[in-house]
Amino acid sequence: MGSKPILHRDDPSAEPLVGNIKVTRDDWLNVAMDVLVSDGVEQVKVLNLAERMAVSRSSFYWYFKSRQDLLDALLAKWQATNTAGLIAQTELPAETITAAVCNLFHCVVDPALFDTALDFAVRDWARRSGKVRRLLDLSDSRRLEALTAMFLRYGYSQIEAETRARVLYYMQIGYDLAQMNEPIDQRLSFVRHYLFVFTGVQARDEEVAAFSAFARGFWEGRRP
């Protein structure tokens, strides 16, 4: 019977680690992340992960004190990837508010900046855990504060900045949850109009063109 390869979340082209080859802390963490996203937190168990990597579960304890230690590491990685990534995008320099929102839109395109599947897995987890719910609420608050600060930098009043931040943030969550299967051209055709709805300002042609080129290049590059 062949060994199951490790799931290389961050580098799908990497050779799989199988059999008795030593696995790293990141290997345990990456496979746990895959299981969290695909099957839910209940299936993030040491034995399940060890079987997926075809290694002894005793090696797990070289890197983690317990399953809870692993779960805490997953939450830390989620915060470092999604919350920190989104906030960093809102703080990038931009000449106009529409260019600033285009910077934020990069999170929608590139999962290295914001992993949507991971975010929904954590939201599902939060329904079962008060601790995770509190972390999620804090994360949502930090993200909204960053978005509000972004609008404030471009002269919006406090109440308008907060309102636009909420519309932008919650609309994107709902959009992702709907899992719209739109053709690339159709999705990009709305960019200029989304920018106007979110900001009340007409975007410059070069801003729309730059974002569309980035998104098209990324999405087409990921096609099988």
Side-chain angles (χ1 to χ4, degrees), residues 108-124:
V108 179
V109 176
D110 187 353
L113 297 175
F114 190 95
D115 189 330
T116 300
L118 174 59
D119 222 57
F120 283 136
V122 172
R123 290 183 185 280
D124 183 65

Side-chain angles (χ1 to χ4, degrees), residues 122-185:
V122 172
R123 290 183 185 280
D124 183 65
W125 184 0
R127 296 189 182 100
R128 300 163 175 77
S129 167
K131 173 186 174 181
V132 178
R133 178 73 255 179
R134 289 188 293 274
L135 287 173
L136 178 61
D137 289 343
L138 178 61
S139 177
D140 282 337
S141 293
R142 289 180 61 204
R143 296 174 190 183
L144 284 168
E145 286 171 4
L147 288 167
T148 299
M150 180 184 74
F151 281 105
L152 287 172
R153 288 197 299 275
Y154 294 92
Y156 293 83
S157 68
Q158 182 69 40
I159 188 62
E160 186 175 3
E162 290 182 12
T163 302
R164 289 188 182 278
R166 287 170 174 266
V167 170
L168 175 54
Y169 184 58
Y170 293 128
M171 177 273 181
Q172 192 57 56
I173 290 175
Y175 190 96
D176 291 333
L177 184 61
Q179 296 182 319
M180 304 287 288
N181 187 23
E182 295 175 313
I184 293 173
D185 288 340

